[in-house]
Amino acid sequence: MATTSNPPVASATLARGVIYIHSAPRALCPHLEWAVGRALGRAVNFDWADQPVLAGSRRAEFYWEGPAGTGAALATAIRGWEHLRFEVSEDPTPRSDGGRWLHTPDLGIHFAQTDTAGNIVIGEDRVRYAMEIAAGDVFELQRELQVALGTVWDDELEPFRHASDDTPVVWLHKVG
């Protein structure tokens, strides 16, 4: 009598990435740790620091590891809170694409696929859509590609990314 065996179960592909909480109200900080911990399946503690760009807010960076797709779970777990600015990255693995999730209170969330060098990858269908919407208008094509790249999210988050204890904020638009 022939016996059959089940094929070996492939282990989940381990991914890693970073959560950048660029600005969060103080009262929200423990809730963010709880939400991230729940998504990761373990308790986490962030090393919070004051965010000099926005008085009364805090910032943190947290490096994580988990199964591929954890970046999406983390972004989903912390999106939707008012006054929260964050960025989640997931590095690509041999079996999965990388990704970047950006969130601001005014713009909501933006997702972009990334390659092994961290570059944003715009899919063929998105490029075709941009060309169709632009209908030959070079300025509209540029606008559509900037949306696909998340340029307005990057522009809004940039001051928050560079504001830390070691990097003083330079306010070019403030007078006096």
Side-chain angles (χ1 to χ4, degrees):
M1 172 150 97
T3 61
T4 59
S5 63
N6 293 331
V9 176
S11 62
T13 301
L14 188 64
R16 59 182 46 125
V18 184
I19 300 171
Y20 299 98
I21 304 294
H22 293 299
S23 72
R26 279 186 193 277
L28 187 57
C29 295
H31 301 284
L32 291 167
E33 289 176 352
W34 178 84
V36 168
R38 186 163 187 215
L40 291 173
R42 62 183 175 84
V44 300
N45 292 301
F46 293 170
D47 185 18
W48 293 100
D50 288 335
Q51 173 52 272
V53 172
L54 187 60
S57 67
R58 308 281 281 164
R59 65 191 317 262
E61 295 178 14
F62 182 78
Y63 295 86
W64 60 267
E65 287 187 352
T70 298
L74 291 167
T76 299
I78 63 175
R79 76 181 201 139
W81 273 307
E82 196 173 339
H83 308 297
L84 177 64
R85 289 173 183 80
F86 71 83
E87 191 169 347
V88 175
S89 67
E90 180 171 323
D91 296 338
T93 71
R95 295 184 182 170
S96 64
D97 295 326
R100 244 176 106 209
W101 294 261
L102 308 173
H103 180 271
T104 73
D106 294 334
L107 299 171
I109 198 156
H110 178 268
F111 169 75
Q113 178 186 341
T114 58
D115 66 13
T116 57
N119 296 305
I120 292 175
V121 177
I122 302 175
E124 176 183 345
D125 288 339
R126 183 63 178 99
V127 172
R128 288 183 191 279
Y129 173 79
M131 290 177 2
E132 182 180 321
I133 292 297
D137 181 344
V138 69
F139 296 109
E140 184 63 19
L141 179 61
Q142 180 180 13
R143 191 191 72 70
E144 283 295 324
L145 292 176
Q146 286 177 340
V147 168
L149 290 169
T151 302
V152 292
W153 282 265
D154 277 328
D155 290 347
E156 186 170 325
L157 291 174
E158 197 61 25
F160 294 90
R161 289 178 180 139
H162 293 290
S164 70
D165 292 338
D166 300 328
T167 309
V169 178
V170 178
W171 295 102
L172 298 178
H173 63 281
K174 285 199 168 186
V175 179

